[in-house]
Amino acid sequence: MTPESHFPAGTDDPTLGPPPGCPAHGLGPGGLRRLYGPEAEDLGALYEKLRAEHGAVAPVLLHNDVPIWVVLGHGENLHMVSNPSHYARDSRLWTAVQDGTAGADHPLAPHIAWQPICSHAEGDEHLRLRGAVTGAMSTIDFRSLRRYINRSTQRLVNQFCELGTADLVGQFSEHLPMAVLCEILGMPEDYNDRMVHATRDLLKGTETAIASNEYVMNVLTQHTLRRRAEPEEDFTSHLINHPARLTDDEVAQHLRLVLLAAYEATANLIANVLRMVLTDPRFRAQLNGGQMTVPEAVEQSLWDEPPFSAVLGYFAKQDTELGGRRIRKGDGLLFGIAPGNVDPRVRPDLAANMQGNRSHLAFGGGPHECPGQDIGRAIADVGVDALLLRLPDVELDCSEHELRWRSSMSSRHLVELPVRFQPKAPQDERPTVPGVPRQRPNWQVTTESPATAAPAQQPVAPQPAPAPEPAGRLGAWQRFLRWWRGY
């Protein structure tokens, strides 16, 4: 990004800052706002300031005052992610990487550093790597997956249901995605507290993040070697055996990509949906009254509180224009998911219900659109629904203003969600749990929706419902809902 586009006065001299006492003091070179530090503690408010000052695309500063554009407009974000001829995800193109200002010692280096994975690749290499990932994902049987999610939910709820209190972040939303993802990858024995904590830690950028990342990568590398020697019907084995012929390192790196992206996004999504149910009486009334389903509630949350608020980054491959701004070759751009979702041009009334509208930016778009979004939706849909069925009287056990968040440029993570409810007896768990996901035997990407996917060859006995209804009372719609939820 070039200085001339930063300075409203039209000068390139960064020493010509505002005079002493000016309200602009505390801003960065050229009077640019920083996406870190005191002003960035409320990023939502900061994005709206930037929108008012600059429009749909705004110049800002990252850590160490590295310049970058943040894309605030919904349409501008979609244009950027959908035009690989103009914008790439290869950070090696970024001028700040080339001149060392965003080098290996930069605080955001783990987000910036290029890796040989599909989300950073372009052209034929992107097609090869992403084809292997989507091919392996196409083998997932979503009906079996929902059943496993439901069983995992029951198992987690059983651990606290007799107490009458719980933290639905630390005891539920941070654990359910990891349990399900470890099963999908074919490594259920590696799901434990340490795996959960290490994954959370490496995403926070703490002093122990490097050690946590090494632990996770060691687990994934050992699992790759096991499956290379002894393949089974799981995602990892299908990734290894895909015609793209990924190396062991490529397999392990893509397992890390799937695990981290799906885990963080889904953990945040579950916590956000539960928070809305517990704090917004209208939201809960719509669910209880049947005017809104849990999947619709999940989509509303993806609009209002996307699991990732911004993604670093996209990089200009040539001189171009975006949102009335001159973007030069080598400029970096932030994919602004949260500000794009509240663009007043597409959402003039933020209180309006977004039911049936999936045009949010939560899962990206274009060639790098999240390939695992249906997995995240399934975990959130089934997990939240099953928990609310088990604990229909659950209530927030603190004032809403006491809830605390851990925020960064990329996400806003709820720290705790304390709840209370009438103590419940544990539900019996099924004696046998088949491996999930059950795989399809070929590489063809199905066009079936998850709801109509073929059932497993050996169906599992249904889970007892929390409140059995008298025989003969279930209509066709109720039977469909029970099938959908995996009972």
Side-chain angles (χ1 to χ4, degrees), residues 144-277:
S144 293
L145 177 62
R146 288 190 187 88
R147 287 176 170 170
Y148 187 84
I149 298 166
N150 182 62
R151 288 192 293 273
S152 297
T153 298
Q154 307 307 331
R155 191 174 302 117
L156 288 170
V157 174
N158 279 348
Q159 295 176 9
F160 56 74
C161 63
E162 294 179 288
L163 301 176
T165 62
D167 167 21
L168 293 185
V169 171
Q171 293 177 270
F172 186 72
S173 70
E174 290 186 347
H175 279 265
L176 180 62
M178 184 60 72
V180 176
L181 287 167
C182 283
E183 186 70 25
I184 288 174
L185 300 185
M187 42 184 270
E189 68 280 1
D190 291 307
Y191 162 62
N192 52 40
D193 286 345
R194 185 177 182 187
M195 194 67 171
V196 171
H197 294 155
T199 304
R200 289 235 51 82
D201 184 56
L202 73 89
L203 290 167
K204 296 176 190 174
T206 64
E207 294 180 355
T208 56
I210 294 178
S212 294
N213 183 65
E214 289 177 351
Y215 170 76
V216 172
M217 277 307 302
N218 181 62
V219 170
L220 296 176
T221 300
Q222 293 304 313
H223 177 59
T224 298
L225 297 176
R226 284 198 306 268
R227 284 295 177 266
R228 179 78 73 180
E230 300 177 2
E232 295 189 7
E233 290 296 315
D234 54 40
F235 176 89
T236 303
S237 298
H238 283 287
L239 189 62
I240 290 171
N241 294 322
H242 189 273
R245 303 179 65 86
L246 270 62
T247 65
D248 286 347
D249 182 59
E250 288 175 329
V251 170
Q253 289 292 345
H254 281 86
L255 292 182
R256 180 184 182 275
L257 173 66
V258 170
L259 183 69
L260 296 187
Y263 172 73
E264 173 72 0
T266 309
N268 286 346
L269 178 58
I270 293 172
N272 291 338
V273 173
L274 289 171
R275 178 188 61 82
M276 286 199 298
V277 170

Side-chain angles (χ1 to χ4, degrees), residues 195-472:
M195 194 67 171
V196 171
H197 294 155
T199 304
R200 289 235 51 82
D201 184 56
L202 73 89
L203 290 167
K204 296 176 190 174
T206 64
E207 294 180 355
T208 56
I210 294 178
S212 294
N213 183 65
E214 289 177 351
Y215 170 76
V216 172
M217 277 307 302
N218 181 62
V219 170
L220 296 176
T221 300
Q222 293 304 313
H223 177 59
T224 298
L225 297 176
R226 284 198 306 268
R227 284 295 177 266
R228 179 78 73 180
E230 300 177 2
E232 295 189 7
E233 290 296 315
D234 54 40
F235 176 89
T236 303
S237 298
H238 283 287
L239 189 62
I240 290 171
N241 294 322
H242 189 273
R245 303 179 65 86
L246 270 62
T247 65
D248 286 347
D249 182 59
E250 288 175 329
V251 170
Q253 289 292 345
H254 281 86
L255 292 182
R256 180 184 182 275
L257 173 66
V258 170
L259 183 69
L260 296 187
Y263 172 73
E264 173 72 0
T266 309
N268 286 346
L269 178 58
I270 293 172
N272 291 338
V273 173
L274 289 171
R275 178 188 61 82
M276 286 199 298
V277 170
L278 294 169
T279 59
D280 189 336
R282 296 170 302 172
F283 205 81
R284 188 159 190 172
Q286 286 182 308
L287 281 175
N288 292 340
Q291 293 93 358
M292 177 184 285
T293 64
V294 170
E296 288 171 335
V298 168
E299 293 304 318
Q300 183 72 38
S301 177
L302 289 170
W303 275 103
D304 296 337
E305 189 76 49
F308 289 114
S309 53
V311 172
L312 176 66
Y314 281 76
F315 308 95
K317 299 169 72 174
Q318 60 187 49
D319 289 354
T320 185
E321 182 272 339
L322 183 65
R325 293 286 181 170
R326 182 184 180 187
I327 309 298
R328 291 189 175 180
K329 180 180 179 180
D331 280 0
L333 303 98
L334 277 175
F335 175 33
I337 298 172
N341 274 1
V342 296
D343 184 343
R345 293 175 297 176
V346 296
R347 291 186 71 187
D349 180 7
L350 295 180
N353 194 303
M354 302 301 288
Q355 285 188 35
N357 190 333
R358 284 194 172 189
S359 60
H360 53 72
L361 303 173
F363 295 115
H368 295 288
E369 182 176 8
C370 175
Q373 57 187 277
D374 287 338
I375 295 174
R377 280 191 172 101
I379 297 173
D381 290 350
V382 178
V384 170
D385 193 26
L387 182 138
L388 294 177
L389 284 172
R390 283 286 301 275
L391 308 174
D393 60 339
V394 63
E395 296 180 357
L396 191 64
D397 198 21
C398 68
S399 299
E400 184 178 354
H401 72 269
E402 294 181 275
L403 295 175
R404 296 179 296 113
W405 304 82
R406 184 173 55 250
S407 299
S408 68
M409 185 188 67
S410 60
S411 67
R412 201 168 81 108
H413 185 80
L414 191 61
V415 176
E416 290 180 318
L417 189 60
V419 296
R420 63 180 182 275
F421 48 86
Q422 285 297 318
K424 308 287 192 302
Q427 284 193 355
D428 291 337
E429 295 180 11
R430 298 181 183 185
T432 59
V433 179
V436 172
R438 193 174 298 278
Q439 309 291 321
R440 300 188 186 98
N442 54 56
W443 289 107
Q444 175 130 10
V445 177
T446 179
T447 57
E448 291 181 311
S449 67
T452 58
Q457 294 182 355
Q458 297 180 353
V460 182
Q463 175 80 14
E469 300 185 32

Side-chain angles (χ1 to χ4, degrees), residues 84-108:
S85 62
H86 288 75
Y87 306 98
R89 296 229 44 215
D90 186 343
S91 61
R92 294 173 298 181
L93 300 173
W94 192 13
T95 301
V97 168
Q98 295 175 359
D99 65 20
T101 55
D105 59 344
H106 192 273
L108 297 177

